[in-house]
Amino acid sequence: MPVPFESFVPFAIISGMFLATATGIRYAQTKRNEGKAVRYSLDDWDRKMMVRDKQLTGTMRGQVDNPIAPPEFKVNSSWKVYESLRNDFA
């Protein structure tokens, strides 16, 4: 006749694996987002702001409070390429 506490060891192993997996996923998401919370339900505005932040700071989650953009911001936009392509095919 089995003893009821025999199932505690496999249960502890399975629970430990769930805990290790959840901790690993949380660590990877936090590392990918530079220590900030994961962004959910992104709309077009959020995506455009992420592209702008990437152009200003070099990272998708980086933000600056300087009201004047650095000089490099003038040449790292895709709008100049878009305008030249639009003018070539018009």
Side-chain angles (χ1 to χ4, degrees):
M1 186 158 169
V3 182
F5 56 83
E6 286 180 349
S7 63
F8 288 153
V9 174
F11 181 73
I13 292 172
I14 291 171
S15 298
M17 290 297 111
F18 275 116
L19 181 66
T21 303
T23 304
I25 289 173
R26 181 70 174 172
Y27 174 77
Q29 287 178 342
T30 304
K31 191 74 171 165
R32 185 181 66 201
N33 288 309
E34 301 173 11
K36 298 178 182 174
V38 180
R39 291 179 173 170
Y40 295 105
S41 301
L42 296 175
D43 58 357
D44 288 338
W45 176 261
D46 293 329
R47 289 187 191 94
K48 289 176 183 174
M49 291 296 105
M50 288 172 69
V51 169
R52 180 192 67 105
D53 292 341
K54 172 94 171 149
Q55 290 174 346
L56 284 174
T57 63
T59 63
M60 293 294 261
R61 295 298 303 259
Q63 296 177 351
V64 294
D65 60 351
N66 188 4
I68 300 170
E72 304 89 32
F73 192 70
K74 292 179 184 177
V75 294
N76 66 355
S77 176
S78 61
W79 284 105
K80 293 186 183 252
V81 175
Y82 177 74
E83 288 177 8
S84 67
L85 288 174
R86 189 179 64 195
N87 291 336
D88 289 344
F89 294 114

